[in-house]
Coordinates of all heavy atoms in Angstrom, one line a residue:
M21 N 88.9 87.9 -17.8 CA 89.4 88.0 -19.2 C 88.2 87.6 -20.1 O 87.5 86.7 -19.8 CB 90.5 87.0 -19.4 CG 91.2 87.2 -20.7 SD 92.4 88.6 -20.5 CE 93.0 88.6 -22.1
L22 N 87.9 88.4 -21.1 CA 86.9 88.2 -22.0 C 87.5 88.3 -23.4 O 88.2 89.3 -23.7 CB 85.7 89.2 -21.8 CG 84.6 89.2 -22.8 CD1 83.8 87.9 -22.6 CD2 83.7 90.4 -22.5
G23 N 87.2 87.4 -24.3 CA 87.8 87.4 -25.6 C 86.9 86.8 -26.6 O 86.0 86.0 -26.3
L24 N 87.1 87.2 -27.9 CA 86.3 86.7 -29.0 C 87.3 85.9 -29.9 O 88.4 86.4 -30.1 CB 85.8 87.9 -29.8 CG 84.8 88.8 -29.1 CD1 84.4 90.0 -30.0 CD2 83.6 88.1 -28.6
Y25 N 86.9 84.7 -30.3 CA 87.7 83.9 -31.2 C 87.0 83.8 -32.5 O 85.8 83.7 -32.6 CB 87.8 82.5 -30.6 CG 88.9 82.4 -29.5 CD1 88.6 82.7 -28.2 CD2 90.2 82.0 -29.9 CE1 89.6 82.7 -27.3 CE2 91.2 81.9 -28.9 CZ 90.9 82.2 -27.6 OH 91.9 82.2 -26.7
D26 N 87.8 83.7 -33.5 CA 87.3 83.4 -34.9 C 88.1 82.1 -35.2 O 89.3 82.1 -35.6 CB 87.7 84.5 -35.9 CG 87.1 84.2 -37.3 OD1 86.4 83.2 -37.5 OD2 87.4 85.0 -38.2
G27 N 87.4 80.9 -35.0 CA 88.1 79.7 -35.1 C 89.1 79.6 -34.0 O 88.8 79.7 -32.8
D28 N 90.4 79.3 -34.3 CA 91.5 79.3 -33.3 C 92.1 80.6 -33.0 O 93.0 80.7 -32.2 CB 92.5 78.2 -33.7 CG 92.0 76.8 -33.7 OD1 91.1 76.5 -33.0 OD2 92.6 76.0 -34.5
D29 N 91.7 81.6 -33.8 CA 92.4 82.9 -33.7 C 91.7 83.8 -32.6 O 90.5 84.1 -32.8 CB 92.4 83.6 -35.0 CG 93.2 82.8 -36.1 OD1 94.2 82.2 -35.7 OD2 92.7 82.8 -37.2
L30 N 92.5 84.3 -31.7 CA 92.0 85.2 -30.7 C 91.9 86.6 -31.3 O 92.8 87.1 -31.9 CB 92.9 85.3 -29.5 CG 92.5 86.3 -28.4 CD1 91.2 86.0 -27.8 CD2 93.6 86.3 -27.3
G31 N 90.7 87.2 -31.2 CA 90.4 88.5 -31.7 C 90.4 89.5 -30.6 O 91.2 89.4 -29.7
P32 N 89.5 90.5 -30.6 CA 89.5 91.4 -29.5 C 89.3 90.8 -28.2 O 88.6 89.8 -28.0 CB 88.2 92.3 -29.9 CG 87.9 92.0 -31.3 CD 88.5 90.6 -31.6
H33 N 90.0 91.3 -27.2 CA 89.9 90.7 -25.8 C 90.2 91.8 -24.8 O 90.8 92.8 -25.1 CB 90.9 89.5 -25.6 CG 92.3 89.9 -25.9 ND1 92.8 90.0 -27.2 CD2 93.3 90.1 -25.1 CE1 94.1 90.3 -27.2 NE2 94.4 90.4 -25.9
W34 N 89.6 91.6 -23.6 CA 89.6 92.6 -22.6 C 89.9 91.9 -21.2 O 89.4 90.8 -21.0 CB 88.3 93.3 -22.5 CG 87.9 93.9 -23.8 CD1 88.1 95.1 -24.3 CD2 87.0 93.2 -24.8 NE1 87.6 95.3 -25.5 CE2 86.9 94.2 -25.8 CE3 86.4 92.0 -24.9 CZ2 86.1 93.9 -27.0 CZ3 85.7 91.7 -26.0 CH2 85.5 92.6 -27.0
R35 N 90.6 92.7 -20.3 CA 90.7 92.3 -18.9 C 89.6 93.0 -18.2 O 89.5 94.3 -18.3 CB 92.0 92.7 -18.3 CG 93.1 91.8 -18.8 CD 94.4 92.2 -18.1 NE 94.3 92.2 -16.6 CZ 94.7 91.2 -15.8 NH1 95.3 90.1 -16.4 NH2 94.6 91.3 -14.5
L36 N 88.7 92.3 -17.4 CA 87.6 92.9 -16.7 C 87.9 92.8 -15.2 O 88.4 91.8 -14.7 CB 86.3 92.2 -17.0 CG 86.0 92.1 -18.5 CD1 84.7 91.3 -18.7 CD2 85.8 93.5 -19.1
S37 N 87.5 93.9 -14.5 CA 87.7 93.8 -13.0 C 86.7 92.9 -12.4 O 85.6 92.7 -12.9 CB 87.6 95.3 -12.5 OG 86.3 95.7 -12.7
T38 N 87.1 92.4 -11.3 CA 86.2 91.5 -10.5 C 85.4 92.4 -9.6 O 85.9 93.1 -8.8 CB 87.0 90.5 -9.6 OG1 87.8 89.7 -10.5 CG2 86.1 89.6 -8.8
D39 N 84.1 92.3 -9.8 CA 83.2 93.2 -9.0 C 82.1 92.3 -8.5 O 81.1 91.9 -9.2 CB 82.6 94.3 -9.9 CG 81.7 95.2 -9.1 OD1 81.3 94.9 -8.0 OD2 81.3 96.3 -9.7
H40 N 82.1 91.9 -7.2 CA 81.2 91.0 -6.6 C 79.8 91.6 -6.5 O 78.8 90.9 -6.2 CB 81.6 90.6 -5.2 CG 82.9 89.8 -5.3 ND1 82.9 88.4 -5.5 CD2 84.2 90.2 -5.1 CE1 84.2 88.0 -5.5 NE2 85.0 89.0 -5.3
E41 N 79.7 92.9 -6.6 CA 78.4 93.6 -6.5 C 77.6 93.7 -7.8 O 76.4 93.9 -7.8 CB 78.6 95.0 -6.0 CG 79.3 95.1 -4.6 CD 78.6 94.4 -3.5 OE1 77.3 94.6 -3.4 OE2 79.2 93.7 -2.7
R42 N 78.3 93.4 -8.9 CA 77.6 93.6 -10.2 C 76.7 92.4 -10.4 O 77.0 91.3 -10.2 CB 78.7 93.6 -11.3 CG 78.2 94.0 -12.6 CD 79.3 94.1 -13.6 NE 79.8 95.5 -13.4 CZ 80.9 95.9 -14.1 NH1 81.4 95.2 -15.0 NH2 81.3 97.2 -13.9
M43 N 75.5 92.7 -11.0 CA 74.5 91.8 -11.3 C 74.5 91.3 -12.8 O 75.2 92.0 -13.6 CB 73.1 92.4 -10.9 CG 73.0 92.8 -9.5 SD 73.4 91.5 -8.3 CE 72.1 90.3 -8.6
P44 N 73.9 90.2 -13.1 CA 73.9 89.7 -14.5 C 73.5 90.8 -15.5 O 74.1 90.8 -16.6 CB 72.9 88.5 -14.5 CG 73.0 88.1 -13.1 CD 73.1 89.3 -12.2
D45 N 72.5 91.6 -15.3 CA 72.1 92.6 -16.3 C 73.2 93.6 -16.5 O 73.4 94.1 -17.6 CB 70.8 93.2 -15.9 CG 70.8 93.9 -14.6 OD1 71.6 93.6 -13.7 OD2 69.9 94.8 -14.4
E46 N 74.0 93.9 -15.4 CA 75.1 94.9 -15.6 C 76.2 94.2 -16.4 O 76.9 94.9 -17.2 CB 75.6 95.3 -14.2 CG 74.6 96.1 -13.4 CD 75.0 96.4 -12.0 OE1 75.2 95.4 -11.2 OE2 75.3 97.5 -11.7
F47 N 76.5 92.9 -16.2 CA 77.5 92.2 -17.0 C 77.0 92.2 -18.5 O 77.8 92.4 -19.4 CB 77.7 90.8 -16.5 CG 78.6 90.7 -15.3 CD1 78.1 90.1 -14.2 CD2 79.9 91.1 -15.3 CE1 78.9 90.0 -13.0 CE2 80.7 91.0 -14.2 CZ 80.2 90.5 -13.1
A48 N 75.7 92.0 -18.7 CA 75.1 92.0 -20.0 C 75.4 93.3 -20.7 O 75.7 93.4 -21.9 CB 73.7 91.6 -20.0
M49 N 75.1 94.4 -20.0 CA 75.3 95.8 -20.6 C 76.8 96.0 -21.0 O 77.1 96.5 -22.0 CB 74.8 96.9 -19.7 CG 73.3 96.9 -19.5 SD 72.4 96.9 -21.1 CE 73.0 98.4 -21.8
Q50 N 77.7 95.5 -20.1 CA 79.1 95.7 -20.4 C 79.5 94.8 -21.6 O 80.2 95.3 -22.5 CB 79.9 95.2 -19.2 CG 81.4 95.4 -19.4 CD 82.2 95.0 -18.2 OE1 81.8 94.1 -17.4 NE2 83.4 95.6 -18.0
L51 N 79.0 93.6 -21.7 CA 79.2 92.7 -22.8 C 78.7 93.3 -24.1 O 79.4 93.4 -25.1 CB 78.6 91.3 -22.6 CG 78.7 90.4 -23.7 CD1 80.2 90.1 -24.1 CD2 78.0 89.1 -23.4
I52 N 77.5 93.8 -24.1 CA 76.9 94.4 -25.3 C 77.7 95.7 -25.7 O 78.0 95.8 -26.9 CB 75.4 94.8 -25.0 CG1 74.6 93.5 -24.9 CG2 74.9 95.7 -26.1 CD1 73.2 93.7 -24.3
N53 N 78.1 96.5 -24.8 CA 78.9 97.6 -25.1 C 80.3 97.3 -25.7 O 80.7 97.9 -26.7 CB 79.1 98.5 -23.9 CG 77.8 99.3 -23.5 OD1 77.0 99.6 -24.4 ND2 77.7 99.6 -22.3
L54 N 80.9 96.2 -25.2 CA 82.2 95.8 -25.7 C 82.0 95.2 -27.1 O 82.8 95.5 -28.0 CB 82.8 94.8 -24.8 CG 83.4 95.3 -23.5 CD1 83.7 94.1 -22.6 CD2 84.5 96.2 -23.7
L55 N 81.0 94.5 -27.4 CA 80.7 93.9 -28.7 C 80.4 95.1 -29.7 O 81.0 95.1 -30.8 CB 79.5 93.0 -28.7 CG 79.7 91.6 -27.9 CD1 78.4 90.9 -27.9 CD2 80.9 90.8 -28.6
N56 N 79.6 96.0 -29.3 CA 79.3 97.2 -30.1 C 80.6 98.0 -30.4 O 80.8 98.4 -31.5 CB 78.3 98.1 -29.5 CG 76.9 97.5 -29.5 OD1 76.6 96.7 -30.3 ND2 76.1 98.0 -28.6
Y57 N 81.5 98.1 -29.4 CA 82.7 98.8 -29.6 C 83.6 98.3 -30.7 O 84.3 99.0 -31.4 CB 83.5 98.8 -28.3 CG 84.8 99.6 -28.3 CD1 84.8 101.0 -28.3 CD2 86.0 98.9 -28.3 CE1 86.0 101.7 -28.3 CE2 87.2 99.6 -28.3 CZ 87.2 101.0 -28.3 OH 88.4 101.7 -28.3
V58 N 83.6 96.9 -30.9 CA 84.4 96.3 -31.9 C 83.6 95.9 -33.1 O 84.1 95.2 -34.0 CB 85.2 95.1 -31.4 CG1 86.2 95.5 -30.3 CG2 84.3 94.0 -30.8
G59 N 82.3 96.3 -33.2 CA 81.5 96.1 -34.4 C 81.0 94.7 -34.5 O 80.8 94.2 -35.7
V60 N 80.8 93.9 -33.4 CA 80.3 92.6 -33.5 C 78.9 92.5 -33.0 O 78.6 93.0 -31.9 CB 81.2 91.6 -32.7 CG1 80.7 90.2 -32.6 CG2 82.6 91.6 -33.2
A61 N 78.0 92.0 -33.8 CA 76.6 91.8 -33.4 C 76.5 90.6 -32.5 O 77.2 89.6 -32.7 CB 75.7 91.7 -34.6
R62 N 75.5 90.7 -31.5 CA 75.3 89.5 -30.7 C 75.0 88.3 -31.5 O 75.3 87.1 -31.1 CB 74.2 89.8 -29.7 CG 74.5 90.9 -28.7 CD 73.4 91.3 -27.8 NE 72.1 90.9 -28.1 CZ 71.0 91.3 -27.4 NH1 71.2 92.1 -26.4 NH2 69.8 90.9 -27.7
E63 N 74.3 88.4 -32.6 CA 73.9 87.3 -33.4 C 75.1 86.6 -34.1 O 75.0 85.5 -34.5 CB 72.9 87.7 -34.5 CG 71.6 88.3 -34.0 CD 71.7 89.7 -33.4 OE1 72.6 90.4 -33.7 OE2 70.8 90.1 -32.6
Q64 N 76.3 87.3 -34.1 CA 77.5 86.7 -34.6 C 78.2 85.7 -33.7 O 79.0 85.0 -34.1 CB 78.4 87.8 -35.1 CG 78.0 88.6 -36.2 CD 79.0 89.7 -36.5 OE1 78.8 90.8 -36.0 NE2 80.0 89.4 -37.3
I65 N 77.8 85.7 -32.4 CA 78.4 84.9 -31.4 C 77.8 83.5 -31.5 O 76.6 83.3 -31.4 CB 78.1 85.4 -30.0 CG1 78.6 86.9 -29.8 CG2 78.8 84.5 -28.9 CD1 80.1 87.1 -30.1
S66 N 78.7 82.5 -31.8 CA 78.2 81.2 -32.1 C 78.5 80.2 -30.9 O 78.1 79.1 -30.9 CB 78.8 80.6 -33.3 OG 80.2 80.5 -33.2
G67 N 79.2 80.7 -29.9 CA 79.5 79.8 -28.7 C 80.0 80.6 -27.6 O 80.5 81.7 -27.8
V68 N 79.8 80.1 -26.4 CA 80.2 80.7 -25.2 C 80.9 79.7 -24.3 O 80.4 78.6 -24.1 CB 79.0 81.3 -24.4 CG1 79.4 81.9 -23.1 CG2 78.3 82.4 -25.2
A69 N 82.1 80.0 -23.8 CA 82.8 79.2 -22.8 C 83.0 80.1 -21.6 O 83.6 81.2 -21.7 CB 84.1 78.6 -23.4
I70 N 82.7 79.6 -20.4 CA 82.9 80.4 -19.2 C 83.8 79.6 -18.3 O 83.6 78.4 -18.0 CB 81.5 80.6 -18.5 CG1 80.6 81.4 -19.3 CG2 81.8 81.3 -17.1 CD1 79.2 81.5 -18.8
A71 N 84.9 80.2 -17.9 CA 85.9 79.6 -17.0 C 86.2 80.7 -16.0 O 86.6 81.8 -16.3 CB 87.1 79.2 -17.7
S72 N 85.9 80.4 -14.7 CA 86.1 81.4 -13.7 C 86.5 80.8 -12.4 O 86.2 79.7 -12.1 CB 84.7 82.1 -13.4 OG 84.8 82.9 -12.3
G73 N 87.4 81.5 -11.7 CA 87.8 81.1 -10.4 C 87.0 81.7 -9.3 O 87.3 81.5 -8.1
V74 N 85.9 82.4 -9.6 CA 85.0 83.1 -8.7 C 83.6 82.5 -8.9 O 82.9 83.0 -9.7 CB 85.1 84.6 -8.9 CG1 84.2 85.3 -7.8 CG2 86.5 85.1 -8.9
P75 N 83.3 81.5 -8.1 CA 82.0 80.8 -8.3 C 80.8 81.7 -8.4 O 79.9 81.6 -9.2 CB 81.9 79.8 -7.2 CG 83.3 79.5 -6.8 CD 84.0 80.8 -7.1
M76 N 80.7 82.7 -7.5 CA 79.6 83.7 -7.5 C 79.5 84.4 -8.8 O 78.4 84.6 -9.3 CB 79.8 84.7 -6.4 CG 78.7 85.8 -6.3 SD 79.1 87.2 -5.3 CE 79.6 86.5 -3.8
L77 N 80.6 84.8 -9.4 CA 80.6 85.5 -10.7 C 80.3 84.5 -11.9 O 79.7 84.9 -12.9 CB 81.8 86.3 -10.9 CG 82.1 87.4 -9.9 CD1 83.3 88.2 -10.3 CD2 80.8 88.3 -9.8
T78 N 80.7 83.2 -11.7 CA 80.4 82.3 -12.8 C 78.9 82.2 -13.0 O 78.5 82.2 -14.2 CB 81.0 80.9 -12.4 OG1 82.4 81.0 -12.2 CG2 80.8 79.9 -13.5
S79 N 78.2 82.1 -12.0 CA 76.7 81.9 -12.2 C 76.1 83.2 -12.8 O 75.2 83.2 -13.6 CB 76.0 81.6 -10.9 OG 76.2 82.6 -9.9
R80 N 76.7 84.4 -12.4 CA 76.2 85.6 -13.0 C 76.5 85.7 -14.5 O 75.7 86.2 -15.3 CB 76.7 86.8 -12.2 CG 76.1 86.8 -10.8 CD 76.6 88.0 -10.0 NE 76.1 87.8 -8.6 CZ 76.4 88.6 -7.6 NH1 77.3 89.6 -7.8 NH2 75.9 88.4 -6.4
W81 N 77.8 85.3 -14.8 CA 78.1 85.3 -16.2 C 77.3 84.3 -17.0 O 76.9 84.6 -18.2 CB 79.6 85.1 -16.4 CG 80.4 86.3 -16.3 CD1 81.2 86.7 -15.3 CD2 80.5 87.4 -17.3 NE1 81.8 87.9 -15.6 CE2 81.3 88.4 -16.8 CE3 79.9 87.6 -18.5 CZ2 81.6 89.5 -17.5 CZ3 80.1 88.7 -19.2 CH2 81.0 89.7 -18.7
R82 N 77.0 83.2 -16.4 CA 76.1 82.2 -17.1 C 74.7 82.8 -17.4 O 74.2 82.7 -18.5 CB 76.0 81.0 -16.2 CG 75.1 79.9 -16.8 CD 75.0 78.6 -15.9 NE 76.3 78.1 -15.6 CZ 76.6 77.8 -14.3 NH1 75.8 78.1 -13.3 NH2 77.8 77.3 -14.1
E83 N 74.2 83.5 -16.4 CA 72.9 84.2 -16.6 C 73.0 85.3 -17.7 O 72.1 85.4 -18.5 CB 72.4 84.7 -15.3 CG 71.0 85.3 -15.4 CD 70.4 85.8 -14.1 OE1 70.8 85.3 -13.0 OE2 69.5 86.6 -14.1
C84 N 74.1 86.0 -17.6 CA 74.3 87.0 -18.6 C 74.4 86.4 -20.0 O 73.7 86.9 -21.0 CB 75.7 87.7 -18.3 SG 76.3 88.8 -19.7
A85 N 75.1 85.3 -20.2 CA 75.2 84.7 -21.5 C 73.8 84.2 -22.0 O 73.5 84.3 -23.2 CB 76.2 83.6 -21.5
A86 N 73.1 83.6 -21.0 CA 71.8 83.1 -21.4 C 70.8 84.1 -21.9 O 69.9 83.9 -22.7 CB 71.2 82.3 -20.2
T87 N 70.9 85.4 -21.4 CA 70.0 86.4 -21.8 C 70.5 87.3 -22.9 O 69.8 87.9 -23.6 CB 69.6 87.3 -20.6 OG1 70.8 87.9 -20.1 CG2 68.9 86.5 -19.5
T88 N 71.9 87.3 -23.1 CA 72.5 88.2 -24.1 C 72.8 87.5 -25.4 O 72.7 88.1 -26.5 CB 73.8 88.8 -23.5 OG1 73.5 89.4 -22.2 CG2 74.4 89.8 -24.4
C89 N 73.2 86.3 -25.4 CA 73.6 85.6 -26.6 C 72.5 84.8 -27.2 O 71.5 84.5 -26.6 CB 74.8 84.7 -26.3 SG 76.2 85.6 -25.7
T90 N 72.7 84.4 -28.5 CA 71.6 83.7 -29.2 C 71.6 82.2 -28.6 O 72.5 81.8 -28.0 CB 71.9 83.6 -30.7 OG1 73.2 82.9 -30.9 CG2 72.0 85.0 -31.3
A91 N 70.5 81.6 -28.9 CA 70.3 80.2 -28.4 C 71.5 79.3 -28.9 O 71.9 78.4 -28.1 CB 69.0 79.6 -28.9
A92 N 72.0 79.5 -30.1 CA 73.1 78.7 -30.6 C 74.4 78.8 -29.8 O 75.2 78.0 -29.8 CB 73.3 79.0 -32.1
A93 N 74.5 79.9 -29.1 CA 75.7 80.2 -28.4 C 75.7 79.8 -26.9 O 76.6 80.1 -26.2 CB 76.0 81.7 -28.5
R94 N 74.7 79.2 -26.5 CA 74.5 78.9 -25.0 C 75.1 77.7 -24.6 O 74.7 77.1 -23.6 CB 73.0 79.0 -24.7 CG 72.5 80.4 -24.8 CD 71.1 80.5 -24.3 NE 70.6 81.8 -24.7 CZ 69.4 82.1 -25.1 NH1 68.5 81.1 -25.1 NH2 69.0 83.3 -25.5
H95 N 76.2 77.2 -25.2 CA 77.0 76.1 -24.7 C 78.0 76.7 -23.7 O 78.8 77.6 -24.0 CB 77.7 75.4 -25.8 CG 78.8 74.5 -25.3 ND1 78.5 73.3 -24.7 CD2 80.1 74.5 -25.3 CE1 79.6 72.7 -24.3 NE2 80.6 73.4 -24.7
Q96 N 77.9 76.2 -22.4 CA 78.8 76.8 -21.4 C 79.6 75.7 -20.7 O 79.1 74.7 -20.4 CB 77.9 77.6 -20.4 CG 77.1 78.6 -21.0 CD 76.0 79.1 -20.1 OE1 75.8 78.7 -19.0 NE2 75.2 80.0 -20.6
R97 N 80.8 76.1 -20.5 CA 81.7 75.2 -19.7 C 82.1 76.0 -18.5 O 82.7 77.1 -18.6 CB 82.9 74.7 -20.5 CG 83.8 73.8 -19.8 CD 84.9 73.3 -20.7 NE 85.8 74.4 -21.0 CZ 86.7 74.3 -21.9 NH1 86.9 73.2 -22.6 NH2 87.6 75.3 -22.0
T98 N 81.9 75.5 -17.3 CA 82.2 76.3 -16.1 C 83.4 75.8 -15.3 O 83.7 76.4 -14.3 CB 81.0 76.2 -15.1 OG1 80.7 74.9 -14.8 CG2 79.8 76.9 -15.8
H99 N 84.2 74.9 -15.8 CA 85.4 74.5 -15.2 C 86.6 75.1 -15.8 O 86.8 75.0 -17.1 CB 85.6 73.0 -15.2 CG 84.4 72.2 -14.5 ND1 84.3 72.2 -13.2 CD2 83.4 71.6 -15.1 CE1 83.2 71.6 -12.9 NE2 82.7 71.1 -14.0
A100 N 87.4 75.8 -15.0 CA 88.6 76.4 -15.6 C 89.6 75.4 -16.2 O 89.8 74.3 -15.6 CB 89.3 77.2 -14.5
H101 N 90.1 75.7 -17.3 CA 91.0 74.8 -18.0 C 92.1 75.7 -18.7 O 91.7 76.6 -19.4 CB 90.3 74.0 -19.1 CG 91.3 73.2 -19.9 ND1 92.0 72.1 -19.4 CD2 91.7 73.4 -21.2 CE1 92.7 71.6 -20.4 NE2 92.6 72.4 -21.5
R102 N 93.3 75.4 -18.3 CA 94.4 76.2 -19.0 C 95.2 75.2 -19.8 O 95.7 74.2 -19.3 CB 95.3 76.8 -17.9 CG 94.6 77.9 -17.2 CD 95.6 78.6 -16.3 NE 94.9 79.6 -15.6 CZ 95.2 80.1 -14.4 NH1 96.3 79.6 -13.8 NH2 94.5 81.1 -13.9
P103 N 95.3 75.4 -21.1 CA 96.1 74.5 -22.0 C 97.5 74.6 -21.6 O 98.0 75.6 -21.2 CB 95.8 75.1 -23.4 CG 95.2 76.4 -23.2 CD 94.7 76.5 -21.8
H104 N 98.2 73.4 -21.7 CA 99.6 73.3 -21.4 C 100.4 73.7 -22.7 O 100.2 73.1 -23.7 CB 100.0 71.9 -21.0 CG 101.4 71.7 -20.8 ND1 102.1 72.3 -19.8 CD2 102.3 71.0 -21.6 CE1 103.4 71.9 -20.0 NE2 103.5 71.1 -21.0
H105 N 101.2 74.7 -22.6 CA 102.1 75.1 -23.7 C 103.5 74.9 -23.3 O 104.0 75.6 -22.4 CB 101.8 76.6 -24.0 CG 100.5 76.9 -24.5 ND1 100.1 76.5 -25.8 CD2 99.4 77.5 -23.9 CE1 98.8 76.9 -25.9 NE2 98.4 77.4 -24.8
P106 N 104.2 73.9 -23.9 CA 105.6 73.7 -23.5 C 106.5 74.9 -23.9 O 106.2 75.6 -24.9 CB 106.0 72.5 -24.3 CG 105.0 72.3 -25.3 CD 103.7 73.0 -24.9
L107 N 107.5 75.2 -23.1 CA 108.4 76.3 -23.4 C 109.2 76.0 -24.6 O 109.7 75.2 -25.0 CB 109.2 76.7 -22.2 CG 108.4 77.1 -21.0 CD1 109.4 77.3 -19.8 CD2 107.7 78.4 -21.3

């Protein structure tokens, strides 16, 4: 899952397939294309949070974020956290 937030509000978001063969530069191209699709410039990204249950892909997404996003956005969290929402 990949999504953009504006404060607490979830904006455009996508479900991405798990592809163990894909390299960081391929993830970067996918990310850039998705951002372009919704009219968001990479410079508008002010933070990055990475939560993954697939350690191999976590490191690839980390490298993707490091090369694709601005320096201000390179805060990364690699432990999955699901907020508790009472019914």
Side-chain angles (χ1 to χ4, degrees):
M21 192 82 183
L22 175 67
L24 302 176
Y25 278 86
D26 185 3
D28 291 335
D29 299 324
L30 177 62
H33 55 284
W34 307 270
R35 285 183 56 98
L36 305 177
S37 62
T38 300
D39 183 349
H40 296 278
E41 301 298 319
R42 189 173 280 177
M43 300 308 293
D45 59 336
E46 294 173 294
F47 283 119
M49 291 306 303
Q50 182 178 28
L51 176 59
I52 290 167
N53 286 332
L54 290 169
L55 292 173
N56 288 338
Y57 182 73
V58 296
V60 174
R62 295 179 342 189
E63 296 78 19
Q64 291 177 268
I65 306 297
S66 62
V68 174
I70 299 171
S72 172
V74 185
M76 177 194 309
L77 296 184
T78 302
S79 63
R80 291 180 186 173
W81 274 108
R82 183 182 300 128
E83 187 176 333
C84 167
T87 60
T88 305
C89 299
T90 64
R94 293 187 189 141
H95 167 71
Q96 302 165 1
R97 183 175 70 188
T98 58
H99 301 288
H101 173 73
R102 291 189 179 151
H104 173 69
H105 296 287
L107 297 176

